[in-house]
Amino acid sequence: MPFCSQFIPMEVIDHPAHGSIIYHPSLLPRHRGASAINWTLIHGDKKGGFTVFWADDGLDTGPILLQRECDVEPEDTVNTIYKRFLFPEGVKGTVDAVRLIAAGNAPKIVQPEEGATYEGIQKKDNAKIDWNQSAQALHNWIRGNDKVPGAWAEVDGQKVTFYGSSLLDSGATAIGQPLEIPGASQPGLVAKAGLMLFGNDGKTLLVKNLQFEDGKMIAAARYFSSGSCASVELTEEEKAFAEQMRGVWKSILTNVDAIEDSTDFFKSGAASMDVVRLVEEVKLRASGCQLQNEDVYMNTTFQDFIQMCVRKLRGEDDEEELVVDYVEKNINNMTIRMPHQLFINGEFVDAEGGKTYKTINPTDGTAICDVSLAQSSDVDRAVAAAKEAFEEGEWGKINPRDRGRLLYKLADLMEEHQEELATIESMDSGAVYTLALKTHVGMSIQTFRYFAGWCDKIQGCTIPINQARPNRNLTFTKKEPIGVCAIVIPWNYPLMMLAWKTAACLAAGNTVVLKPAQVTPLTAVKFAELAARAGFPKGVINILPGSGALVGQRLSDHPDVRKLGFTGSTEIGKHIMKSCAVSNVKKVSLELGGKSPLIIFSDCDMDKAVRMGMSAVFFNKGENCIAAGRLFVEENIHDQYVKRVVEEVKKMKIGDPLDRSTDHGPQNHKAHMDKLVEYCQTGVREGATLVYGGKQVSRPGFFFEPTIFTDVQDHMFIAIEESFGPVMILSKFKSGDVDEVLRRANATEYGLASGVFTRDISKALYVSEKLNAGTVFVNTYNKTDVAAPFGGFKQSGFGKDLGQEALNEYLKTKAVTVEY
């Protein structure tokens, strides 16, 4: 029972048949007294725990019944050690004690006097900080007094209480504004991470929050600017919420005539229980506004309180202000703000050595901005952050439904910024803006929403196993996240490829280190900003622009990466697979090259076959992994089909991708455009007929003409190899010879996608069954959906993006058997 036995007569204590026992939060005889747990932390004890002892008339001096011990972590506070050990294990220990008493086996071990300590109750008056101590001792004093009564010091002529202390690594430095603290060995520093303090040994600690004499609490980082936060204008719905909360305040502060914007919660008589009630009242009225008690202490006036609630509802409530060094450009009738640094452990940071490179606008060949170029040490930092977030951080403890809420919130933020994202995508990759808006960004948003819905639906199963009678066994499977996952994506759909893999990875509960293509990094780092603003914990998402040879290789080799998802060329995929096997046999999924066949029969809907055939080849400038790499057209409609396609190609407008009337923008980067020129020259040398295009457009930038080849024979280079550009490869096949055209279509080492156009349903089903590809389109093309699994066969790779099957790429199955 929680009572102090020295105030209760012994006849009362001894009255129960088995006596009375007491739970105490220390390893008696050390730290006798009511503030035992505080003193455990203040003294820097490495071991803590609790004791259940027999009550006597002394001060925690009765015989010991049982004790349980735990390690005291360097950053433990009273709250953390209670939540982690003292409460859950204390309940179990008390139950064990009662059972021992009931069984007549309860010991009574007399407490030794050796090692016995008693310190008084910690009160505000004696919690003043003595600055003439080491950083470790200061940290222990602050965390030992955390919450109640609160360690304090005089700063700028008033008592300031310090909360949320942590030790910093030796040699840690920070840029900040000096804060004079009387008695301290040197001034504190108000930095973006908090208030940095110094012990008399020159070592450092960091304090997160400060509370003033009037009860107002602020983030320590905002000491010099706590009143400078601009007010947000409320919507009508938010105004209605504010009025509801004004009524709640009035019901709590009954002695106040009217709740004004300047009304102070605590100066008007509120106490700690009123804080709890206020937090719960907010939850009832706005479920998306998750308050902590500290939020009330840090926003004591009604106006500040409402502003804080609204910011949380809007997703603008970062515990620490996200510092972003933007590159701003006025383009596409808007101002876009682009981060350009690495994103590691929740912060935008420079690469090691400050190394950068220029990302190029393919429309005119000019540099957009300098982007941080990740090095091997940056990869190691990012992986370490992801590992800590998975194993120790909040992400590993969050329940699946809350994980889904974060993904939904991220999707909402992406939608709010969709025009900005599409503009960045268009500028960095050359994608036509209207396509970027609908597909590159639009499908990315859909993907995150789709997988957000899966978070709380990942299930194992129960399995009947065959054992000798009596078969009292329960066998079940659990689907668990893998851990740290590396994702390496290509440059053709920078944001969408990120979404296809990252959404499933996060939904499954993993953490991510992602390398965008070096030539298209900007939407990935913008995505990192939105993820941070959505509230993803530090370390869950890390973005590393850089080279594949360095960053991609290090991710493949890293022993702490447990899964790697890659989209790119078959050649690089083979290399990655080998590195992943040699390093630590990490799980791999690969979406690689393609040479997707499209078979067009004479009984097709010609208009649709022409329209969809054009889309199959020229969609996204041909930079499309499932682009129809070769069209087989039945000979009796071949010439008509070619004529129709040429007519349509001539109508295509080539130009600025931000122009809404543009059909065909620039190729992604110069090296790729040069490769397309060489590809077409090879086709002409081999004897294929160049019907249209085949060369660079005479204008600034990396524009390449839509191209059409006919008379392409099976042995030719352009019939075998992927162009990954706007090049249509046409071959005839004999009328009625279905099996022969299928043989030719399948005579490739690739198997990503395929298509068939025919009005004959029997023929369509037969051909779709025989085509050896992961996706078959019938009388359509490019119709991917977030719910349909996507991936290839043969040297187009293995594993799936999208759909429920994609989750399995980021989960591991554990079988558990219990005998009962």
Side-chain angles (χ1 to χ4, degrees), residues 96-355:
D96 290 344
V98 171
R99 286 174 174 166
L100 286 171
I101 294 170
N105 298 323
K108 290 188 176 182
I109 303 168
V110 176
Q111 289 192 39
E113 286 302 313
E114 183 180 355
T117 62
Y118 171 78
E119 296 90 0
I121 296 174
Q122 279 300 90
K123 297 180 179 179
K124 195 70 175 181
D125 289 345
N126 60 22
K128 185 176 181 179
I129 299 171
D130 175 8
W131 294 105
N132 190 27
Q133 301 181 83
S134 68
Q136 177 71 63
L138 291 173
H139 167 64
N140 289 341
W141 184 259
I142 293 171
R143 68 181 178 137
N145 285 282
D146 201 69
K147 305 301 180 192
V148 179
W152 61 275
E154 288 187 5
V155 182
D156 287 338
Q158 65 172 317
K159 286 184 178 179
V160 176
T161 305
F162 296 72
Y163 295 110
S165 172
S166 59
L167 285 170
L168 296 180
D169 293 336
S170 178
T173 59
I175 299 172
Q177 191 169 348
L179 176 64
E180 292 293 337
I181 301 176
S185 59
Q186 64 185 90
L189 280 177
V190 177
K192 69 177 184 179
L195 173 59
M196 184 179 285
L197 302 169
F198 301 88
N200 61 11
D201 56 356
K203 296 183 179 180
T204 53
L205 61 148
L206 189 75
V207 168
K208 305 290 281 187
N209 297 319
L210 303 173
Q211 188 173 34
F212 299 106
E213 289 179 278
D214 62 3
K216 182 175 178 60
M217 185 181 286
I218 65 167
R222 295 172 180 163
Y223 182 84
F224 291 111
S225 58
S226 59
S228 64
C229 186
S231 295
V232 297
E233 186 174 348
L234 305 190
T235 65
E236 291 303 316
E237 184 177 355
E238 290 163 349
K239 288 178 182 177
F241 167 75
E243 289 310 306
Q244 289 181 21
M245 294 315 302
R246 198 182 299 273
V248 171
W249 275 49
K250 184 67 181 73
S251 67
I252 295 173
L253 307 175
T254 55
N255 61 321
V256 177
D257 293 334
I259 305 299
E260 308 292 343
D261 286 351
S262 59
T263 300
D264 188 284
F265 194 65
F266 296 101
K267 289 180 180 178
S268 300
S272 58
M273 277 306 299
D274 298 316
V275 173
V276 175
R277 176 184 166 185
L278 183 57
V279 168
E280 293 303 314
E281 293 275 13
V282 171
K283 289 179 182 178
L284 286 173
R285 288 162 176 78
S287 60
C289 185
Q290 299 298 313
L291 297 191
Q292 303 298 323
N293 291 357
E294 288 84 351
D295 293 320
V296 181
Y297 287 108
M298 295 173 75
N299 299 275
T300 59
T301 68
F302 183 74
Q303 182 179 29
D304 289 346
F305 176 79
I306 291 300
Q307 289 281 312
M308 175 269 298
C309 289
V310 168
R311 286 193 172 94
K312 282 184 174 289
L313 286 167
R314 295 182 181 183
E316 301 169 358
D317 60 312
D318 303 322
E319 182 179 324
E320 298 175 21
E321 182 179 356
L322 181 66
V323 178
V324 188
D325 181 20
Y326 291 111
V327 173
E328 292 193 2
K329 288 187 179 291
N330 293 313
I331 189 171
N332 200 24
N333 298 316
M334 69 183 76
T335 299
I336 60 171
R337 307 172 74 202
M338 300 177 292
H340 58 97
Q341 296 169 288
L342 314 181
F343 188 74
I344 300 175
N345 201 28
E347 294 183 332
F348 285 103
V349 295
D350 290 334
E352 181 194 7
K355 293 185 178 180

